[in-house]
Amino acid sequence: EAGVAQSPRYKIIEKRQSVAFWCNPISGHATLYWYQQILGQGPKLLIQFQNNGVVDDSQLPKDRFSAERLKGVDSTLKIQPAKLEDSAVYLCASSSRTSGGTDTQYFGPGTRLTVL
Amino acid sequence: GDSVTQMEGPVTLSEEAFLTINCTYTATGYPSLFWYVQYPGEGLQLLLKATKADDKGSNKGFEATYRKETTSFHLEKGSVQVSDSAVYFCALSERTDKLIFGTGTRLQVFP
């Protein structure tokens, strides 16, 4: 079974530029998550989708970050404009959870973003 | 709000030594508890989990017991190997499956 795919693996941009990350979850997984992992910290949830609806985006900086999950499969996370403090690894995860209970989240390899 | 606190690293051990990484949590309800591991150059992988009090999660020789009375979920292994060198994250989740992570503990095992 293929795992969670993410691209690109690395990205270097200058501040005020825009950037987009792509995630393809495990086939059949209804729930998709984007996490931000700043160096030396644990991952922090940015947004959670169930199918193509948003479950939780309370920690997403909506003035510069946006995310979508069209057709309930792939997802894109965008930052516009980027700031220095956005330098981090952006992790995508998916789970088969549809309602209730707690299911295992499977993580992709992440995209390492450096903002100069 | 909910939070996870884990011991700071790095933890440096010789091969075959006993490992303990402490983890305590704060939660309003009855969360599920997890240990994730991140090997160098790889993504996060679930190591083990426990979903209710007194449950013991185990995998690859690692164990952790959900202790509600002490709000703890300490990770243990009786004999570590060089290949166990990685960063270990303790995490919890409640109703929405949102994972809340600790800051991670780096383990370095030397031959």
Side-chain angles (χ1 to χ4, degrees), chain B residues 49-82:
Chain B
K49 69 179 183 181
T51 58
K52 62 182 186 298
D54 299 325
D55 268 3
K56 177 184 283 188
S58 61
N59 186 26
K60 299 182 181 179
F62 291 89
E63 292 184 339
T65 301
Y66 189 140
R67 301 285 188 200
K68 181 169 171 284
E69 63 277 12
T70 55
T71 62
S72 65
F73 192 55
H74 304 322
L75 182 68
E76 296 181 337
K77 187 176 185 183
S79 175
V80 294
Q81 305 301 312
V82 172

Side-chain angles (χ1 to χ4, degrees), chain B residues 4-46:
Chain B
V4 174
T5 302
Q6 59 182 109
M7 63 190 289
E8 291 192 18
V11 173
T12 304
L13 296 173
S14 298
E15 208 164 23
E16 298 183 4
F18 184 85
L19 168 71
T20 300
I21 300 178
N22 291 336
C23 171
T24 57
Y25 68 90
T26 302
T28 52
Y30 301 97
S32 294
L33 302 174
F34 305 81
W35 277 100
Y36 277 82
V37 59
Q38 191 169 36
Y39 297 104
E42 299 185 17
L44 278 167
Q45 302 173 26
L46 178 65

Side-chain angles (χ1 to χ4, degrees), chain A residues 3-9 11 19-26 32-34 66-70 73-79 90-93 108-111:
Chain A
V4 177
Q6 290 188 246
S7 68
R9 292 294 308 275
K11 190 74 177 179
V19 64
F21 313 127
W22 173 81
C23 172
N24 181 238
I26 292 173
L32 184 147
Y33 312 79
W34 283 102
S66 64
E68 60 183 9
R69 191 183 182 197
L70 301 176
V73 182
D74 293 6
S75 178
T76 303
L77 176 70
K78 297 179 181 177
I79 308 175
Y90 291 85
L91 298 167
C92 180
T111 297

